[in-house]
Amino acid sequence: LAETEEAKQSLQERVRFERVISRLSAVSINLPHDQIDRKIDDGLHLVGEALNIDRIVFHELSEDSQFLRITHFFLKPGVQPPTSTHTSEVQPWFTKTLLSGEIIKLDRIDNLPEEAKLEKNFLLKQGVKSGLAIPLIVGKKPVGVLAFTTVFRERSWPDEVVKQLQLVSEVFGNALDRKQKEQKLGNAFSEIKKLKDRLEQENIYLREEIRMSQGHEKILGQSDAILKVLGQAEQVAQTGSSVLILGETGTGKELLAHMIHELSSRKNRQMIKVNCAALPATLIESELFGREKGAYTGAMTRQMGRFELAHGSTIFLDEVSELSPELQAKLLRVLQEGQFERLGSSKTITVDVRVIAAANQDVARLVKEHKFREDLYYRVNVFPITMPPLRERLKDIPLLVWAFIREFEGTIGKSIDSIPKKGMDALRAHSWPGNIRELRNVIERAMILCTGSTLSIDRLETEEPTTIKDMTMEELERKHVLDVLERTRWRVRGRKGAAEILGLKPSTLESRMNKLKISRPR
């Protein structure tokens, strides 16, 4: 009768446990990967209650197979939680045995072999009386370990129980494998999206650069002044240090920045350019550091900043002295730590960017006047290079003139064979306040007016003089606004912008420009 009752109880336990396994299998098949962790916790509780096990610990194997990290556990009331992770150094026998696919079965802790002294001490400290550890194998590859232990009593682990727990391990192993694969797939999709967003932003940036770019691509010259500059550029290019290019407007600071980038190890990625004075103060921050959707009124989409686009490359900050004090502080952090946050986000972004800055003002004087941060100045001024004005490069004028002629021959459709000595002498004698940009405009105008193969340069003014008495009030206003815009390189807003010079609000000036049909030339 006693044997019959024991057999009946054993059968009931088996049926109850098979129901547990069936339930675990059913909920795990189509379970979303973000719910698998919760279901593993529920499953451990079901198994622990069904088999009267004091503690069950679920370990995930690290990608390098060097340690087993505890991710889930079930505890009966009064049982202490696990306090250690299996590593090949701390518990070598456990790790080696389990990762080979072998089950560890211990009715008593004293049954551990001699080579498992470290493991024995560890289990005794944990209060373990007996235990069973089953490796989670998926596709002949270990992905984790499921460990069952008792702390209140010793118990045996019959083969039938081991087989049942192996079934549980298979369910958990498959669930863990699916979670890891879906996480990897999700991470891969996330990386692809990031790459796609970055490529889209780079394509937009490149289209803008192509539309806006003009002029000769190389720095030409044989004068001592320009050869010194080229030598300095070659010296600093490979170092990765920050560079500050100083010089008057139109001297070719951007071309020099391109040259430094092309000679550096970052040349395989596009150099990103930002004109710090060309954008309103309200937009320059999002342009540099990016923004999240809804960061401010009108921010309808997420946008990557120029620093993100320049990751692994070079960013050229033209007219850096025009940055506001707040943005100077943020730029300093990027230079020091390579970190920033998008507008509207608390997530820190880390980038590897080389900074080349340029200014047409005396930045050292601005530091003394407390208009430019001293700490930022020392960060960008690691290697200063000063571009010489054209009046100090008179020897280079013939070379530059013929370079511009060859450039415009293709676009204007004229062929030039010679320039009278008188014309070349006039070019050398001019003071060139607009530097190379002014020289280029003079040559372009002369090419347009030229009717033969000899380029005549009778005057250096770019406009015919107009007397005020022959102009209407609207014409006079239009001319004055155009003069100021050209002097500020079409910068409407900001310090020393056209609006400030004219004593108008930027929005008022933009309205006047629309009325006077003034638009920036492409």
Side-chain angles (χ1 to χ4, degrees):
L1 185 62
E3 290 180 359
T4 303
E5 186 65 28
E6 185 177 340
K8 181 180 178 182
Q9 184 177 351
S10 176
L11 179 61
Q12 288 175 342
E13 286 180 356
R14 184 188 304 173
V15 170
R16 186 167 64 248
F17 191 70
E18 286 177 354
R19 287 175 180 169
V20 169
I21 294 175
S22 176
R23 182 177 173 185
L24 289 175
S25 300
V27 299
S28 300
I29 291 174
N30 296 315
L31 191 66
H33 79 278
D34 57 350
Q35 297 181 25
I36 288 177
D37 285 324
R38 182 170 58 83
K39 288 300 179 182
I40 288 177
D41 287 330
D42 295 342
L44 294 181
H45 182 83
L46 286 173
V47 173
E49 293 291 338
L51 292 183
N52 195 27
I53 298 172
D54 298 336
R55 179 165 58 200
I56 307 176
V57 181
F58 190 100
H59 303 78
E60 287 188 25
L61 181 63
S62 63
E63 289 191 8
D64 60 4
S65 300
Q66 291 302 305
F67 63 92
L68 292 160
R69 180 170 57 91
I70 296 173
T71 56
H72 308 78
F73 53 82
F74 159 79
L75 304 171
K76 272 194 170 183
V79 178
Q80 294 296 318
T83 59
S84 180
T85 292
H86 290 294
T87 66
S88 57
E89 291 84 10
V90 178
Q91 300 176 53
W93 184 81
F94 268 162
T95 305
K96 180 181 178 182
T97 304
L98 291 168
L99 295 188
S100 69
E102 186 178 341
I103 294 174
I104 297 175
K105 185 169 65 171
L106 300 170
D107 296 342
R108 300 175 67 248
I109 300 305
D110 289 337
N111 292 344
L112 279 168
E114 186 67 24
E115 60 266 31
K117 286 182 179 180
L118 292 174
E119 286 77 5
K120 183 177 181 179
N121 290 333
F122 166 74
L123 292 177
L124 290 173
K125 288 180 180 178
Q126 293 277 307
V128 174
K129 296 289 193 300
S130 61
L132 175 70
I134 301 175
L136 308 180
I137 307 294
V138 178
K140 298 182 179 180
K141 179 183 175 183
V143 296
V145 171
L146 197 56
F148 308 87
T149 58
T150 62
V151 297
F152 296 121
R153 71 202 182 288
E154 292 181 349
R155 69 163 288 174
S156 61
W157 304 96
D159 291 343
E160 185 177 348
V161 172
V162 173
K163 288 180 181 178
Q164 290 175 332
L165 293 178
Q166 280 183 289
L167 290 175
V168 172
S169 299
E170 286 182 15
V171 173
F172 285 143
N174 288 325
L176 174 60
D177 182 61
R178 186 159 63 85
K179 185 190 82 167
Q180 291 176 341
K181 286 180 178 177
E182 291 194 23
Q183 283 178 337
K184 288 180 180 178
L185 186 61
N187 291 338
F189 278 129
S190 178
E191 288 300 316
I192 290 171
K193 186 178 185 305
K194 286 181 182 177
L195 181 60
K196 178 175 175 287
D197 291 344
R198 178 169 180 166
L199 288 174
E200 286 178 352
Q201 292 291 332
E202 286 183 347
N203 285 337
I204 292 171
Y205 174 77
L206 287 172
R207 286 197 296 270
E208 291 175 351
E209 284 292 291
I210 291 169
R211 176 175 58 81
M212 295 175 64
S213 66
Q214 61 177 358
H216 210 61
E217 295 181 354
K218 296 180 181 179
I219 298 177
L220 301 176
Q222 298 174 342
S223 63
D224 292 340
I226 199 62
L227 290 178
K228 177 184 177 182
V229 165
L230 297 179
Q232 290 175 319
E234 290 177 357
Q235 283 180 309
V236 76
Q238 287 292 335
T239 66
S241 299
S242 298
V243 179
L244 178 61
I245 304 174
L246 301 168
E248 298 176 8
T249 298
T251 52
K253 295 187 290 294
E254 184 179 343
L255 283 179
L256 185 64
H258 274 288
M259 174 187 169
I260 293 171
H261 174 70
E262 290 301 321
L263 291 174
S264 75
S265 59
R266 300 169 183 260
K267 64 182 178 182
N268 293 326
R269 289 194 59 81
Q270 174 75 21
M271 185 183 86
I272 304 299
K273 173 194 168 187
V274 182
N275 189 322
C276 301
L279 293 168
T282 53
L283 295 181
I284 185 67
E285 183 174 359
S286 64
E287 190 70 18
L288 286 174
F289 305 115
R291 65 163 188 255
E292 293 294 336
K293 182 179 178 181
Y296 52 82
T297 304
M300 306 303 293
T301 59
R302 193 183 76 168
Q303 175 184 303
M304 293 178 70
R306 295 296 174 91
F307 270 100
E308 269 185 273
L309 290 175
H311 178 59
S313 185
T314 304
I315 191 166
F316 175 57
L317 302 177
D318 197 9
E319 299 193 53
V320 69
S321 57
E322 298 295 329
L323 287 176
S324 67
E326 294 80 10
L327 284 177
Q328 288 180 31
K330 291 196 173 187
L331 176 58
L332 178 64
R333 184 186 172 208
V334 178
L335 287 170
Q336 289 177 329
E337 305 170 13
Q339 294 182 333
F340 61 90
E341 289 81 33
R342 289 195 191 118
L343 273 176
S345 172
S346 59
K347 181 182 177 182
T348 298
I349 298 170
T350 301
V351 292
D352 170 25
V353 177
R354 182 192 195 166
V355 174
I356 300 177
N360 56 22
Q361 300 187 65
D362 185 348
V363 184
R365 177 179 55 80
L366 295 178
V367 171
K368 292 180 181 179
E369 295 174 356
H370 304 291
K371 295 178 180 178
F372 196 84
R373 291 181 66 113
E374 185 176 16
D375 45 6
L376 177 59
Y377 173 65
Y378 289 125
R379 279 284 177 176
V380 298
N381 195 42
V382 174
F383 194 90
I385 301 177
T386 300
M387 287 295 288
L390 188 55
R391 60 184 174 273
E392 295 178 10
R393 298 176 54 191
L394 300 181
K395 182 180 178 181
D396 297 330
I397 287 180
L399 190 64
L400 291 166
V401 167
W402 280 107
F404 290 138
I405 288 172
R406 296 300 174 232
E407 176 192 342
F408 292 126
E409 281 179 337
T411 57
I412 295 177
K414 296 178 181 180
S415 179
I416 301 298
D417 297 329
S418 62
I419 303 173
K421 183 178 181 298
K422 179 183 177 182
M424 193 63 78
D425 289 343
L427 293 173
R428 288 196 188 97
H430 190 55
S431 61
W432 299 111
N435 292 292
I436 296 174
R437 187 178 292 116
E438 183 185 356
L439 174 62
R440 185 178 183 277
N441 292 340
V442 166
I443 300 304
E444 182 178 15
R445 180 177 182 277
M447 289 279 290
I448 293 170
L449 297 175
C450 181
T451 57
S453 60
T454 299
L455 187 68
S456 298
I457 302 173
D458 297 327
R459 64 157 62 105
L460 297 178
E461 292 80 9
T462 57
E463 294 182 346
E464 291 289 342
T466 306
T467 57
I468 292 177
K469 66 180 182 180
D470 295 331
M471 299 172 66
T472 65
M473 182 63 73
E474 184 172 305
E475 288 172 339
L476 180 61
E477 181 184 7
R478 189 175 191 278
K479 182 180 184 304
H480 182 50
V481 171
L482 277 169
D483 287 343
V484 173
L485 285 168
E486 287 173 358
R487 288 208 320 269
T488 60
R489 296 170 61 189
W490 290 84
R491 177 159 50 87
V492 173
R493 300 169 182 267
R495 190 158 53 89
K496 296 186 179 179
E500 181 181 283
I501 293 172
L502 292 168
L504 300 172
K505 292 182 179 179
S507 56
T508 303
L509 176 56
E510 287 167 350
S511 176
R512 293 300 299 164
M513 288 169 63
N514 288 332
K515 183 176 180 182
L516 296 170
K517 297 180 180 180
I518 296 174
S519 59
R520 182 171 184 167
R522 297 296 185 188

